[in-house]
């Protein structure tokens, strides 16, 4: 498997899609990387020469924040929000949605499994 930016990328897929296995590189960025390096996105990864792999890797290292550095940067941004006690930081701290989504229903991804609360058995009278 070829390694680019410290990540093993699939060799049987097209280069355009293989690059997207790197955290921080999506379709648009992958296309721009290939355009700058002059490599056709429809080629398979295993057909690339070592020089082409090096040029892709160099382009990524020079222009983009990817993988571990990107994950670290995102965590630092979230930690900063928590430290300054802003609304978004408090939502992150409580494990609730931070971007205004409703929580009365849905929001199970952030809140976790349902916690059943005992209700009234029945009102006599």
């Amino acid at each position: 498997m070829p390694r680019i930016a410290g990540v093993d990328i699939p060799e049987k897929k097209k280069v355009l899609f293989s690059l997207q296995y790197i955290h921080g590189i999506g379709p648009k960025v992958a296309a721009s990387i290939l355009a700058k390096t002059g490599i056709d996105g429809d080629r398979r990864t295993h057909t690339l020469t070592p020089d082409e792999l090096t040029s892709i890797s160099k382009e990524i290292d020079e222009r983009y924040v990817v993988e571990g550095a990107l994950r670290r940067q995102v965590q630092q941004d979230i930690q900063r929000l928590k430290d300054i006690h802003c609304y978004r930081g408090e939502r992150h701290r409580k494990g609730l949605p931070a971007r205004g989504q409703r929580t009365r229903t849905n929001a199970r991804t952030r809140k976790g499994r349902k916690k059943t609360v005992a209700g009234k058995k029945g009102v006599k009278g």
Side-chain angles (χ1 to χ4, degrees):
M1 277 190 141
R3 287 181 71 81
I4 296 178
V7 179
D8 289 332
I9 59 172
E11 43 184 52
K12 299 291 183 193
K13 294 185 182 288
K14 293 182 179 181
V15 182
L16 182 66
F17 300 107
S18 292
L19 285 177
Q20 294 177 39
Y21 279 72
I22 301 170
H23 181 73
I25 295 181
K28 189 171 180 178
V29 173
S32 70
I33 289 169
L34 293 175
K36 284 182 181 140
T37 55
I39 297 169
D40 182 26
D42 289 334
R43 287 177 58 193
R44 302 287 170 169
T45 307
H46 64 88
T47 64
L48 294 177
T49 65
D51 292 339
E52 290 171 330
L53 287 171
T54 306
S55 67
I56 291 173
S57 190
K58 184 178 174 188
E59 179 70 26
I60 290 172
D61 290 341
E62 287 176 0
R63 297 196 196 284
Y64 302 101
V65 180
V66 292
E67 283 301 322
L70 179 61
R71 292 177 205 273
R72 199 167 23 279
Q73 185 178 5
V74 169
Q75 281 306 116
Q76 287 172 348
D77 291 344
I78 292 171
Q79 190 57 48
R80 181 183 55 82
L81 292 173
K82 289 178 182 179
D83 292 344
I84 64 175
H85 294 284
C86 70
Y87 181 79
R88 279 174 56 205
E90 294 301 320
R91 300 298 282 185
H92 276 288
R93 182 173 292 147
K94 293 176 184 175
L96 293 169
R99 295 188 176 180
Q101 296 93 331
R102 69 180 292 137
T103 56
R104 183 173 178 178
T105 59
N106 304 327
R108 279 290 145 218
T109 302
R110 289 292 295 169
K111 290 168 76 172
R113 292 182 59 100
K114 287 184 182 178
K115 301 167 197 86
T116 306
V117 178
K120 293 182 180 178
K121 287 280 186 177
V123 180
K124 292 182 181 176

